[in-house]
Amino acid sequence: MPLSRQDPPATTPHPVPADVPQPLLERPETRPAGPRRFLRDIAPPYLSNGAIGLVFTASGPVAVTLAVGTAGGLNQDQLASWVFGILFSGGAATLIMSLLYRQPLGFAWSIPGTVLLGPSLQHLSFAEVVGTFFTAGLLILALGATGMVRRIMAMIPMPLVMAMVAAVFLRFGTDIVSSSQANPAIAGPMVGAFLFLTAVPALGRFLPPVLGTLLAGGVAVAVSGQFVAGVPGPLLAVPVFTPPAFSWAAQLELVVPLALTVLFVQNGQGIAVLRAAGHRPPINVFAVVSGAFSVLNAGFGAVSACVTGPTNALLTSSGTRERQYTAAVVYGSLAVVCALLAPTLTRLMLATPTEFVLVLGGIAMLRALQQAFVTAFAGTFTMGSLVTFVVTVSGLNLFNIHAAFWGLVIGCAASRLLERPDYAGS
């Protein structure tokens, strides 16, 4: 989207030379953003990006959480507590980190981690699963505090990481096509609004294309009569503490997959997206904060916290780099409010057609998907990137660990074997 007239041109950050030692926990490079700075930097595009990030996070991902929890036998109070925990921790972590570092550092929860819980809840008690949440959170925190995470991430070429991101984000693009075929009455106006506002920059300055897509979709849902209100329920969330149970079977089955999913799948995506947008995310601090808030989540019976790739892609989808942190502040503030209204929010989002959420998320992710492909295949390490992309898209699942992790492992191995000149020149 074109920048507004008052936006200064974006600049590219200068990388820190390799021979300059970096602190174990990365410090902010600028002063934290205060109220005056925030009010000066906020603008309609950032309000739009933050709101879209919240709509995306609180719709499809919440639906996945509810589906897994319901299939695992959780009651309504436990589900509401889970949704409260993941929204509250994601919002609070985003607010703290984005204001402190003055970067759009969006947190949420591990969707791959949530999915891998499905089979486990069929033979483990919920108390045992909660016990693994506590252990995984402590493990993530400890690994971040040692500085190991940043060293490992530095060993992986950026094109391979972005190939993994492209593979994960690919479904958002294909969802636009499938949803347009399944429900043209909803998808058609949304796609048309996005194309029109993007093709006419003068209008796009006043109404961001993604926000226009959201408004067009809302009108289409209302006019078509496809908003289906569910059974009334409680307004506010009431957190429930589930006493954890620690068993070797549960710990061996879930702790390592949960930790790897957070550190190298979810956080890895978020780091890659933020770097591609010109930011310098604090990798070790990400791990420490993810671990700390994962422990907090466990107290609510909720899955691990993490940095989120898709949401960060939405938060950085337009505007200037120096002001994009305001979108994260909007997202974090709305997430905390929605955490308190978790039962109401869940009913509201699930009352809209699935295609509305899929098209909105897909359109909002198009620029991030484009950037991921360009970074992955425009220069060096192209064979390793291709292997990473193919393995991740294949859905390979070994030892309950997400395909994105195996894509990076196998892609790095293939790249080291086949692309030695690229490593020599890097």
Side-chain angles (χ1 to χ4, degrees), residues 96-112:
I96 294 170
M97 291 291 288
S98 298
L99 290 172
L100 182 61
Y101 284 84
R102 213 191 297 173
Q103 297 183 56
L105 309 179
F107 284 74
W109 65 96
S110 175
I111 296 301

Side-chain angles (χ1 to χ4, degrees), residues 175-176 179-180 187 190-191 213 355-364:
D175 281 344
I176 301 174
S179 297
S180 297
M190 297 177 72
V191 173
T213 302
E355 292 79 12
F356 169 77
V357 175
L358 294 179
V359 173
L360 179 63
I363 287 177

